[in-house]
Amino acid sequence: MLKGFAVAISIALAMIVSSMPVWAEQVQLPWKGIRLNGELTVPELGSLGNGVVLITHGSLAHNEMEIVVAIREALRERNIASLAISLGFGRDDRKGFYDCATGPNLHKRYDAVEEIAAWVDWLKGQGAGPIAVMGHSSGGNQTAVYGAEDPDPAVRAVILLAPGSYDAAGQAATYKKRYDRDLSAVLAQARAMAPGELLEGVPFISCESATVSAASFRSYYESDPRGDTPSLLKAIRVPSLVIAGSEDTVVENLADSIGPLAGENLEFVSVDGADHFFRDLYMEDVADAIATFLGERW
C-alpha cells in the first residue's frame, strides 16, 4: 500500500511540476471605451522577450474556439509564446461567439486592424521581443491588411492560416442563396442612408435578421481592395508564411491564388489532407511549419 501511495504521490508531483512553468493568463486591453480580451501563454523555455505570436481568430469567433486553442497549445509545446485575442465587435468584455442578432451592429470589417495594432503596442509594453502577427480565415485577411499597411517595426513576420479573400460577385451569390435576398438592393438602401442610420431586419453575416448601421453593412459587403489577400501579400515587406489545407472547402484554391507568389519573402505551405480547421494531427504540421519559419527569422 505504501509503495502504491508513493507512486501516486510521485505522479501527482510530476504533474504539478510539469504544469508550473507554463504561464497562461487572461488579459484585458481598454480600447475605445470597451475592454478587449486576450489569452497570453508563455511556455517554460520561452519568454515574451524571445518573441510572441499574436493570433487573430476567424469571422465572429473568439480566442477560445477549438482551432485557436489548438494553435496556442501546439506553439507552447514548441516553446513559442502566444497572445490569442478576441476581436471586440463593439461589445465590452466580449466572450464566446458574437451574436449579430442582439443589439445594433456598429462594427466594421477592418476595425480588427486597429485592434491588432493596439495589441501589438500592449505586447511591446510588456517587454515583448520580435512579434509575428497571425490570423485564421477572415482573421487572416485582416492580419494581411495590418501587415501591408503600416505595421509596427516590432512586427517581424506575418503568418496567415487559410486566409480568406472577399469578392463582390461571390458574396452576392452567397447572400442570394442563403437569404433569398438581393444584396445589391440592400446595399443600395445602405448607400442612400447616413453612415450611422440603422437598417432593420436585414440579413447580416450569419444572421437572417439584424439591426445594423449603414456604415457597418457597407464595410462587410461593398467591394474593397483590401479584401484581396493575394494582392496584400505583394505589399507586405516582412517575411510571410501562408498555410493552406489541401481539402479546405471554405477557402478554396489557395494553392492557385497564393502558391505562385511564393518567393524570397513569402513561403507557402500546403498541408495535405487538412480542411479549413486543421484538426487533430494536422495542427502538428501547422505548428512545425510555423516553428521552422520563425526559427529562421528570430
Side-chain angles (χ1 to χ4, degrees):
M1 182 178 293
L2 288 176
K3 182 178 180 181
F5 179 76
V7 170
I9 291 295
S10 297
I11 292 173
L13 287 173
M15 292 175 64
I16 292 171
V17 170
S18 66
S19 64
M20 284 177 61
V22 180
W23 175 43
E25 67 167 337
Q26 295 182 359
V27 296
Q28 286 193 326
L29 173 65
W31 185 77
K32 295 189 175 182
I34 63 174
R35 291 168 295 173
L36 302 175
N37 290 314
E39 181 82 13
L40 182 65
T41 303
V42 181
E44 176 185 5
L45 300 180
S47 72
L48 287 182
N50 291 338
V52 58
V53 178
L54 193 164
I55 305 166
T56 302
H57 57 74
S59 180
L60 303 186
H62 56 98
N63 65 355
E64 293 294 338
M65 69 178 300
E66 179 183 359
I67 186 172
V68 177
V69 172
I71 293 169
R72 284 170 15 202
E73 178 61 17
L75 292 179
R76 181 196 66 77
E77 291 174 351
R78 289 157 179 80
N79 298 310
I80 299 172
S82 66
L83 171 65
I85 66 173
S86 286
L87 298 175
F89 300 122
R91 304 284 169 85
D92 180 51
D93 193 24
R94 188 182 76 84
K95 297 180 176 69
F97 281 94
Y98 178 81
D99 184 2
C100 48
T102 61
N105 294 274
L106 307 178
H107 53 92
K108 301 179 182 66
R109 184 197 301 174
Y110 291 115
D111 288 346
V113 179
E114 295 182 54
E115 294 185 34
I116 292 170
W119 280 112
V120 167
D121 285 343
W122 183 87
L123 281 170
K124 289 170 60 182
Q126 304 302 309
I131 298 170
V133 289
M134 176 179 180
H136 172 243
S137 197
S138 63
N141 170 252
Q142 292 158 333
T143 298
V145 172
Y146 172 81
E149 291 188 340
D150 189 22
D152 190 283
V155 173
R156 304 278 291 278
V158 172
I159 303 169
L160 310 182
L161 184 59
S165 286
Y166 298 85
D167 72 278
Q171 283 202 358
T174 300
Y175 198 86
K176 178 68 175 179
K177 180 178 180 179
R178 184 169 186 176
Y179 301 116
D180 196 27
R181 293 279 296 274
D182 288 327
L183 179 58
S184 59
V186 186
L187 267 176
Q189 183 182 356
R191 289 168 180 154
M193 301 168 67
E197 285 189 84
L198 298 178
L199 293 149
E200 304 279 355
V202 297
F204 179 65
I205 309 181
S206 62
C207 292
E208 292 189 9
S209 179
T211 299
V212 53
S213 73
S216 178
F217 191 89
R218 292 178 63 178
S219 80
Y220 279 94
Y221 288 105
E222 280 188 327
S223 180
D224 187 325
R226 293 175 294 179
D228 183 14
T229 299
S231 294
L232 293 170
L233 285 164
K234 299 174 184 177
I236 296 175
R237 299 186 182 276
V238 299
S240 303
L241 169 66
V242 176
I243 304 174
S246 68
E247 305 306 310
D248 191 340
T249 58
V250 177
V251 179
E252 299 178 301
N253 302 319
L254 288 177
D256 295 330
S257 62
I258 293 179
L261 303 178
E264 182 178 351
N265 208 45
L266 172 63
E267 182 176 342
F268 179 81
V269 173
S270 179
V271 179
D272 189 35
D275 66 7
H276 190 60
F277 295 99
F278 301 88
R279 292 181 175 90
D280 302 323
L281 293 178
Y282 295 120
M283 184 53 65
E284 297 300 310
D285 295 329
V286 169
D288 284 343
I290 293 172
T292 300
F293 173 76
L294 293 179
E296 295 171 350
R297 291 158 180 85
W298 284 1

